[in-house]
Amino acid sequence: MKKNLFVAALAGAALMVSCGDNKEGIRMGSLSSDFDSLSYALGANIAFGLNYEMNDIPFDYKTIAKGLQEQALGKASEDHDKSIENLREYFMTKRGERSAAIAAKRQAADSARLAQGDSTKVEYPQADPDMFESEEERTQLSYSLGSDIGFNIAQSKLPLQLVWVCEAIQNVRDNAPKMNEQQVGAYLQNYFMVKVPAENAAASKAWLEQIEKKSGVKKTASGLLYKVEKMGDESVMAKNPQDVVKVHYTGRTRKGVVFDSSIFKNRSKEQQEMLKKQRPDDFDKDEPIEFALNRVIPGWTEGMMLVGKGGKITLWIPSELAYGSRGAGRDIGPNEALEFEVELIDVTPYEEPKAVPAEEKAEVKAEEKK
């Protein structure tokens, strides 16, 4: 997953919760429609963050809005990687250098006035135009910043109207927000900590009830649903939570979105592109993984004991046997049930460590003292 420079920190958890399909969730919207509280609160939250983190930089907010909208809708004139490159260069190097130059220039001007007997205090602008070397650079970086925000908004998969997000950013910039900072915080906290978890729990319950009715699906006492597609070698099965298994797998949300896979063709386009850059010679290689069963979610621990080596199984895991109310990153929201297709390649039974004879322990201690 790409690292983004600013928005995750500015918008906090708001951009890290999956609430729907991106193509259905993000739309332009209209100011003539009903007030969209979520979109406005998120935009205001971003703007308050910009004020705290970048109030020394005179960005062009109309251009930020343009970059945000175009990137979120997949129509950006600048690739997101290029946006990140532009922002990284500016914030890692140029911002500090220019801030120092502005401070030195102001100090010299103040000293010159004092030397002439003028003690008048000059009020300098908080955001100095000299933070940019030209209007072209200001426009470019404003667009790149908007592009980065828009990318994060698109990745969030939230049901947003961009027109209200941008309206809120501009309102905060103009010191005339329709929601103050406390109201924004309260709204987003309730939305992500109460509303979304409750909606996910209800939707996951209904989804699992439908899965349970399908032919061949069984249910364990814990609530795990499973269907054995191929039993495999029953003489080689995991029996201990400390056993190590080697598997191929694909994990999906209840909406069918792949959030992780060891199989290249099943990975998301973003993950595929990342692998192409990381290892161009074998980017499409499938990569089975190994792990001890006591180091994964409970649904996996239980499910991998239901088939033998070479077997295949589909698991539908309730939230309480998966990631629970905390969720897991950008794709798995709180109280989300999950689906996994798994091929059990191999099982390595756990072996108790051999006891070390007392005389050997004594020898080791003696060596350590030397």
Side-chain angles (χ1 to χ4, degrees), residues 159-172:
L160 299 174
Q161 294 186 48
L162 298 178
V163 68
W164 286 108
V165 174
C166 294
E167 173 79 355
I169 292 175
Q170 189 60 52
N171 287 169
V172 171

Side-chain angles (χ1 to χ4, degrees), residues 188-235:
L188 292 177
Q189 182 176 27
N190 179 74
Y191 184 86
F192 291 107
M193 302 301 290
V194 180
K195 188 174 186 290
V196 169
E199 290 177 348
N200 285 346
S204 291
K205 181 175 181 293
W207 180 62
L208 291 173
E209 287 173 350
Q210 291 301 311
I211 296 294
E212 190 175 353
K213 297 175 184 178
K214 292 185 176 182
S215 175
V217 175
K218 298 180 180 180
K219 186 176 183 178
T220 69
S222 70
L224 174 70
L225 299 180
Y226 70 97
K227 182 178 181 180
V228 175
E229 314 290 350
K230 177 183 175 184
M231 188 60 208
D233 186 350
E234 294 183 64
S235 67

Side-chain angles (χ1 to χ4, degrees), residues 39-54:
S39 300
Y40 193 91
L42 182 58
N45 191 44
I46 291 171
F48 288 130
L50 288 171
N51 281 349
Y52 286 127
E53 299 291 333
M54 306 177 199

Side-chain angles (χ1 to χ4, degrees), residues 90-161:
Y90 181 80
F91 281 91
M92 295 296 185
T93 306
K94 295 179 180 178
R95 181 188 192 180
E97 292 175 349
R98 291 176 188 172
S99 291
I102 290 168
K105 180 180 177 181
R106 291 176 179 179
Q107 184 177 17
D110 291 342
S111 297
R113 282 195 305 275
L114 286 173
Q116 295 172 2
D118 183 358
S119 60
T120 304
K121 185 177 180 180
V122 176
E123 293 293 336
Y124 294 106
Q126 188 173 43
D128 196 299
D130 284 347
M131 288 299 291
F132 296 114
E133 64 181 9
S134 65
E135 187 61 26
E136 289 74 20
E137 184 187 52
R138 178 176 182 245
T139 299
Q140 180 191 56
L141 286 167
S142 296
Y143 188 91
S144 293
L145 180 57
S147 171
D148 188 38
I149 296 172
F151 178 86
N152 280 272
I153 284 176
Q155 292 295 303
S156 76
K157 302 174 185 176
L158 292 167
L160 299 174
Q161 294 186 48

Side-chain angles (χ1 to χ4, degrees), residues 123-344:
E123 293 293 336
Y124 294 106
Q126 188 173 43
D128 196 299
D130 284 347
M131 288 299 291
F132 296 114
E133 64 181 9
S134 65
E135 187 61 26
E136 289 74 20
E137 184 187 52
R138 178 176 182 245
T139 299
Q140 180 191 56
L141 286 167
S142 296
Y143 188 91
S144 293
L145 180 57
S147 171
D148 188 38
I149 296 172
F151 178 86
N152 280 272
I153 284 176
Q155 292 295 303
S156 76
K157 302 174 185 176
L158 292 167
L160 299 174
Q161 294 186 48
L162 298 178
V163 68
W164 286 108
V165 174
C166 294
E167 173 79 355
I169 292 175
Q170 189 60 52
N171 287 169
V172 171
R173 182 65 176 173
D174 295 338
N175 293 315
K178 294 178 175 67
M179 299 170 70
N180 62 37
E181 197 165 357
Q182 290 71 34
Q183 291 170 327
V184 165
Y187 181 91
L188 292 177
Q189 182 176 27
N190 179 74
Y191 184 86
F192 291 107
M193 302 301 290
V194 180
K195 188 174 186 290
V196 169
E199 290 177 348
N200 285 346
S204 291
K205 181 175 181 293
W207 180 62
L208 291 173
E209 287 173 350
Q210 291 301 311
I211 296 294
E212 190 175 353
K213 297 175 184 178
K214 292 185 176 182
S215 175
V217 175
K218 298 180 180 180
K219 186 176 183 178
T220 69
S222 70
L224 174 70
L225 299 180
Y226 70 97
K227 182 178 181 180
V228 175
E229 314 290 350
K230 177 183 175 184
M231 188 60 208
D233 186 350
E234 294 183 64
S235 67
V236 186
M237 295 180 68
K239 300 177 181 178
N240 186 319
Q242 293 175 291
D243 289 349
V244 173
V245 296
K246 184 177 183 179
V247 302
H248 266 309
Y249 70 98
T250 296
R252 295 182 176 88
T253 67
R254 58 183 166 80
K255 296 177 181 178
V257 176
V258 175
F259 57 83
D260 197 12
S261 181
S262 63
I263 301 170
F264 179 80
K265 69 177 183 179
N266 290 344
R267 294 178 186 267
S268 68
K269 289 183 179 180
E270 183 184 3
Q271 291 174 332
Q272 290 180 357
E273 289 301 318
M274 181 175 66
L275 287 173
K276 287 179 182 179
K277 293 178 181 179
Q278 290 177 344
R279 49 178 214 218
D281 294 334
D282 62 347
F283 65 88
D284 57 351
K285 180 181 178 182
D286 294 337
E287 297 180 301
I289 66 167
E290 283 187 293
F291 53 82
L293 289 179
N294 60 0
R295 295 185 178 275
V296 289
I297 57 177
W300 265 80
T301 305
E302 183 178 3
M304 288 298 92
M305 296 183 183
L306 299 173
V307 290
K309 178 179 178 179
K312 295 182 180 181
I313 189 171
T314 302
L315 305 172
W316 294 273
I317 305 178
S319 170
E320 56 269 23
L321 299 178
Y323 296 97
S325 60
R326 72 185 186 278
R330 196 185 287 272
D331 293 311
I332 303 173
N335 298 336
E336 286 277 13
L338 304 172
E339 175 186 286
F340 287 93
E341 293 177 356
V342 189
E343 177 187 359
L344 181 56

